[in-house]
Amino acid sequence: MSAPHQEAAPLFPNDVELRGALEKAGLRFTRQRAAVYQFLAGATAHPTAEDVFAAVRQQLPKISLATVYKALDALVESALVTKITHLDGPCRYDCLGGAHYHFHCLNTGRIFDLPTAYDPDLLQKLDPQLVETLRRRGFQVTGYRLELLGVAFPET
Ligand SMILES: [Zn+2]
């Protein structure tokens, strides 16, 4: 299986690029923000803010949950991280850039990236009339998200 996002290099920005992206959004580069980003870049199941807090605390014992939330907001604002919201659970954070698909474990709420290429024409294949039908009803389609639902085996 090939993961399309692994072909693009470099996958995640280094500290200099991270600083550039934050400053471009009018935000400061801080050690806390760098630590939060670093953890997200190595995480596989799209952690919650609490997960990030628990992990980053090992490295920065004085960091607060509020600071973690602010760091996550700054990273989302800088377009380095995407916030995934769910009605039935806490927000999760994704630092894999580019459009991609997810698998959502209904037992644990964890979210995994799918090792399949994103298809920009999937809506067209699903229903060639859909986008035009929606436009006539007053909806402009700007993109789509696909999330498979199921159960991840415990060792995943
Ligand atoms: Zn993802």
Side-chain angles (χ1 to χ4, degrees):
M1 277 194 288
S2 72
H5 56 266
Q6 286 173 354
E7 289 160 18
L11 188 51
F12 299 112
N14 60 30
D15 274 3
V16 174
E17 291 158 339
L18 181 62
R19 179 187 295 273
L22 283 163
E23 287 176 355
K24 203 173 152 196
L27 298 159
R28 274 186 317 119
F29 174 91
T30 64
R31 210 158 52 97
Q32 290 88 348
R33 287 172 182 175
V36 166
Y37 186 77
Q38 207 171 47
F39 172 70
L40 281 176
T44 55
H46 304 68
T48 63
E50 296 275 354
D51 296 335
V52 175
F53 178 51
V56 173
R57 238 166 116 184
Q58 312 285 323
Q59 193 187 335
L60 302 171
K62 289 183 182 165
I63 198 166
S64 68
L65 181 58
T67 301
V68 167
Y69 270 109
K70 282 183 203 151
L72 288 166
D73 287 345
L75 293 167
V76 169
E77 215 177 310
S78 314
L80 291 162
V81 168
T82 308
K83 189 176 186 175
I84 308 170
T85 47
H86 275 288
L87 291 176
D88 57 346
C91 292
R92 290 179 171 270
Y93 295 88
D94 190 348
C95 76
L96 179 59
H100 59 279
Y101 305 127
H102 287 140
F103 179 93
H104 182 178
C105 174
L106 297 172
N107 276 353
T108 62
R110 290 184 302 163
I111 292 172
F112 301 88
D113 295 321
L114 293 188
T116 189
Y118 179 83
D119 182 353
D121 301 321
L122 191 64
L123 286 184
Q124 175 75 16
K125 290 172 185 166
L126 194 66
D127 178 352
Q129 308 301 319
L130 182 61
V131 172
E132 179 54 23
T133 302
L134 286 171
R135 195 193 60 74
R136 274 190 258 114
R137 291 185 187 176
F139 301 98
Q140 186 194 1
V141 177
T142 59
Y144 76 91
R145 290 185 184 145
L146 176 67
E147 184 177 85
L148 305 185
L149 305 175
V151 178
F153 296 113
E155 64 273 13
T156 309

